[in-house]
Amino acid sequence: MKALERCRKKGILSMAAAMAQANDSIRMASRNMQSLTELLVQCQNDAMQIGASLEALDKGYASIVRLLEDYCENIYQISISLSDENACSCLFEKIDRQLAELQEWIRHEMPDDRREAVFLPYKASMWDSLESVWRAADEDENTDVYIIPISYFDRNPDGSLGEEHYEGDLYPAYVPVTDYREYDFELRHPDMIFIHNAYDEKNYVTSVHPFFYSANLKKYTDRLVYIPYFVLGEVDSEDKAAIEGMEHFCTLPGVFHADKVVVQSEMMRQIYIDVLTRFTGERTKGYWKEKILGTGSPKIDKVLHTKGDMVRLPEEWAKVIQKPGGEWKKVILYNTSVNGLLVYGDKMIEKMKRAFLIFSENKENIALIWRPHPLAEATIKSMRPRLWEKYHTLVKGYKEEGWGIYDDTPELDRAIAVSDGYYGDSSSLVELCRKAGVPVMIQSVEV
């Protein structure tokens, strides 16, 4: 991975321009001692930050580092000469020349920036929604790429931020992870930032750190790209009822704040365009046509490129899937959604119990992989706390009995690749299974 100390020409030029602007403000703040002191300190800090970054890069930058050191000395001299108007005037002239020289050097002597792309996943289990785009960017020799998992919080029942989580240690070994506390977004100002969470403050179950809301990230990049972490069932553009059910996904904050939105297909692109045009007015249709791209979902890419014979089974999976003679049982992927639990509550718990009973009775020939939605536990705790103990007991019992597999890993593609069939709620997994050729059966709480 490239060193994080690499300095961005674009960011340094921006800081130098800010220093020049601050220099003008210092003149104006001569009668306000508090404002003047703050500006002087900020100018020194910016100069020291640029100097330290350049010094860490190349000895060829020594002359400009010395210029910055002289600049800091002049700033100090101003701070102790405030009562001497002539001395301050001379110092300001020196500083003007130094800042002009600094900006000229940055423009003409400092190497041009390579492109920099940053990927900001938050749930490790959702990384597949960005992976194929990351691989393409990483193969570009002119692009430096950083994968920066960000922290997120559970929502308390009253809507406040609860427990904080960080899953940077849960990514596959081949994924190079950078700690978000070691990356200076303001200084580096990456060319592109990719996100898969568009909810910002509108998520009532979890929330990424507010710094990483799409509304704020726009300040730190030239291009903010949103790629949904989910795959929706394809619907006909004439099916008004189905489209109404999708409007929520089309009008998330990240969709509005992103510079580009990448969705799973051209048909889905048209639905986004129609919904957003209706939402914002006919005159905006051209804008949405430019912004929404229907080039496909990385989740589908991941599933299609992962085959059963490529998968290395964990030992505990093999014990469940293989018969005593080594032959594989039929493998069923059982998925339970957040929506099912929210809508049906106790009835859904009872439905799951019945399903587990049937599969356990047929465990000699069928292996079950239960993959609940990644946000199931957080959602129930936040929105259905009364249901939490029953759900927790069900999960605990399933794990302890050991006849089936409980899959909460980031590797969704593995579960699909080894499965012979899908059973469970309607969810994004349904579309992924269909793309992979896995037969699908939707469960009904009433049956």
Side-chain angles (χ1 to χ4, degrees), residues 310-322:
M310 298 166 54
V311 172
R312 184 174 180 179
L313 286 182
E315 185 177 343
E316 59 271 21
W317 284 36
K319 290 178 182 177
V320 174
I321 291 175
Q322 291 180 343

Side-chain angles (χ1 to χ4, degrees), residues 289-300:
K289 282 185 174 182
E290 287 291 320
K291 181 170 179 171
I292 311 297
L293 307 176
T295 52
S297 168
K299 292 179 77 73
I300 296 174

